[in-house]
Amino acid sequence: MTNNVHDTALARGGFPADFIWGTSTSSYQIEGARHEDGRVDSIWDTFSAQPGRIRDGSSGAIACDHYHRWPEDLDIARGLGTNAYRFSIAWPRIFGAGGAPNTKGLDFYDRLVDGMLARGLQPWPTLYHWDLPQALQDRGGWMARDIVHHFTDYVDAVTRRLGDRVPQWITHNEPWCTAMHGHMDGMHAPGIRDVASALQASHHVLLSHGLAVPVIRANVPGARVGAALSLHPIRPATDSPEDIAAANRHDGLRNRWFLDPLFGKGYPRDVLEAVRDAAPRIEAGDLEAIAAPTDFTGLNYYFPEVIAAAPGEGPLHARVVHREGVERTAFGWEVAPEGMARLLERIHAEYRPKAIYVTENGSCYDDAVEDGQVHDAQRTSYLARHLAALKDTIAQGVPVAGYFAWSLLDNFEWAEGYTRRFGLTYVDFATQQRILKDSGKWYRAFLGGTPAVSKFPQA
Ligand code: FCB
């Protein structure tokens, strides 16, 4: 186990000199300030107000109060020694269902970006990390084709404002989650459970990505654009032909449904056959638009899945097998650093993106504060082992150019509310006090950061 950075060959110097090192967050999970400066409601405000949707009945109305505390939070990111920071822009701070962009919302991200640049942090904005304006949901949200034009209008406004300082842009975070958690299993906002709606939504998410790429390129000199996908290594539970076929179908919807069209291969035929009546409406030119060349692929990696055939279960007649005796985080997610290596190799071998960034990777444990410290040895071990796997993968020639740990801060973990802590920094949500966990100190030692308190412009 590589818990101590000094006992191992694992060090920043073992990675490419120009490697991007960051942490990741998202707007709804940390910002709070629900109605400030003209922000309108998002689908997560609506969803979290519905009884039974969020495990602890909470919402992101206050969250980490990052909207007001961002200078302190960026100081933490800088103190870690990271050179980049991935965050997301809240669409409902910029637009409701149309009209002119909200200047005060744009001003906030302007200040935030300048705050990053002042601290030597490269800004890595994500344009959509799930907080759709409720007013657009009322018009059908991602299920309605019109959404793609609302999205490009929003992307146009944001990239015009920030494009002079921000070359790298992530269009979407985890289209699978937007589509499937949002519209198939209903675990996320807007909480719909309908296979056809989910697949139609997935098509519109992908199309909106493809149409946004040229908008960003037109507004941003030297733009570098990509999407961040949640992907999973998938294995069959046994070597029976049924389980192998089920695992392939599951891989089809989890992984290939998004990778294939983004890389010009269209939707996977086996999935289209499996979902038949629920297949999305695709118009002429859509697949070409989705396949707009990008500059990188973002990988959000958390866990592998083992799949068995399950006739009658879901559209794919497949189920996830819960294997006993494997290491898991407090969320129940299997810990498998080699799974990340396998995925990175696969993406490189089968799709050849120009570069890959691990845009999220991290773990959730039941942290406790003891004498003002958080001894999260398991998270440190998780982080160190994933970085070791990453180093080996790069050594084998896979062009991974950066790593963003999820997350800078404990935050609102969607349907789990505040019950799941993923941060390198502990947040006491009652007092908003931040405490760098041992894992954060480990990352700082690995990166060679300095804990010094810095004083940067506050606004
Ligand atoms: C990912 C999400 C991110 C966070 C982590 C734990 O799926 O992109 O917002 O919730 O999981």
Side-chain angles (χ1 to χ4, degrees), residues 45-61:
D45 296 291
T46 309
F47 188 73
S48 52
Q50 295 165 358
R53 294 295 203 180
I54 311 296
R55 182 187 289 268
D56 57 4
S58 66
S59 77

Side-chain angles (χ1 to χ4, degrees), residues 29 129-130 173-174 177 300 302 333 360 406 413-414 422:
Q29 294 181 276
H129 200 128
W130 308 350
N173 180 68
E174 303 190 351
C177 287
N300 290 3
Y302 289 97
W333 293 356
E360 285 182 28
W406 184 273
E413 178 47 38
W414 308 113
F422 276 89

Side-chain angles (χ1 to χ4, degrees), residues 76-408:
I76 296 170
R78 176 182 180 275
L80 288 174
T82 52
N83 56 17
Y85 173 62
R86 175 173 177 249
F87 63 110
S88 82
I89 293 173
W91 188 344
R93 292 200 189 280
I94 317 298
F95 283 110
N102 172 27
T103 315
K104 286 187 175 168
L106 289 169
D107 291 346
F108 170 67
Y109 294 106
D110 210 281
R111 293 195 294 277
L112 195 62
V113 160
D114 285 345
M116 286 173 221
L117 294 174
R119 290 166 178 80
L121 299 168
Q122 223 180 66
W124 279 71
T126 302
L127 287 153
Y128 187 74
H129 200 128
W130 308 350
D131 41 359
L132 184 72
Q134 179 61 40
L136 290 178
Q137 185 61 44
D138 296 342
R139 299 176 180 200
W142 289 108
M143 297 173 289
R145 189 173 170 96
D146 207 31
I147 188 88
V148 302
H149 304 298
H150 288 286
F151 184 70
T152 50
D153 286 351
Y154 154 68
V155 170
D156 184 51
V158 172
T159 52
R160 273 177 198 276
R161 182 68 182 269
L162 302 177
D164 58 336
R165 284 152 290 157
V166 181
Q168 48 282 323
W169 291 90
I170 295 169
T171 53
H172 277 272
N173 180 68
E174 303 190 351
W176 185 94
C177 287
T178 303
M180 312 306 168
H181 275 337
H183 305 80
M184 191 148 92
D185 61 39
M187 281 166 57
H188 284 182
I192 290 164
R193 287 163 160 265
D194 177 60
V195 178
S197 300
L199 297 178
Q200 192 62 58
S202 70
H203 179 64
H204 293 151
V205 169
L206 287 168
L207 181 59
S208 75
H209 155 86
L211 294 175
V213 172
V215 174
I216 299 169
R217 294 208 194 287
N219 290 344
V220 182
R224 299 185 65 236
V225 190
L229 307 179
S230 49
L231 303 173
H232 302 258
I234 312 265
R235 271 180 314 175
T238 70
D239 54 14
S240 76
E242 292 79 12
D243 285 350
I244 291 173
N248 279 336
R249 289 193 299 276
H250 186 82
D251 176 65
L253 192 55
R254 264 292 204 197
N255 299 323
R256 288 180 281 117
W257 186 257
F258 298 92
L259 284 165
D260 282 9
L262 287 171
F263 286 92
K265 301 180 181 190
Y267 288 106
R269 195 173 290 274
D270 57 339
V271 181
L272 283 172
E273 273 163 25
V275 298
R276 248 173 251 125
D277 303 340
R281 283 181 307 281
I282 301 166
E283 294 188 6
D286 286 2
L287 291 173
E288 290 75 6
I290 292 170
T294 54
D295 305 285
F296 62 86
T297 293
L299 167 67
N300 290 3
Y301 173 71
Y302 289 97
F303 57 90
E305 285 178 328
V306 177
I307 301 298
E313 232 172 273
L316 302 177
H317 307 282
R319 72 183 163 86
V320 176
V321 175
H322 187 89
R323 292 195 305 143
E324 297 301 329
V326 299
E327 181 183 349
R328 293 180 187 277
T329 68
F331 213 149
W333 293 356
E334 183 176 339
V335 178
E338 73 284 358
M340 184 172 80
R342 279 190 355 241
L343 259 183
L344 290 166
E345 285 159 15
R346 177 185 179 189
I347 297 167
H348 174 58
E350 293 182 21
Y351 299 95
R352 299 270 156 187
K354 289 189 195 134
I356 310 173
Y357 294 85
V358 176
T359 35
E360 285 182 28
N361 171 241
S363 57
C364 144
Y365 292 101
D366 296 328
D367 302 315
V369 182
E370 293 166 45
D371 297 330
Q373 306 202 46
V374 179
H375 302 303
D376 59 338
Q378 290 170 296
R379 185 176 290 102
T380 303
S381 161
Y382 179 102
L383 177 60
R385 285 183 285 157
H386 282 77
L387 291 183
L390 186 61
K391 187 176 160 224
D392 292 347
T393 311
I394 296 169
Q396 281 160 30
V398 179
V400 185
Y403 176 90
F404 294 81
W406 184 273
S407 175
L408 176 65

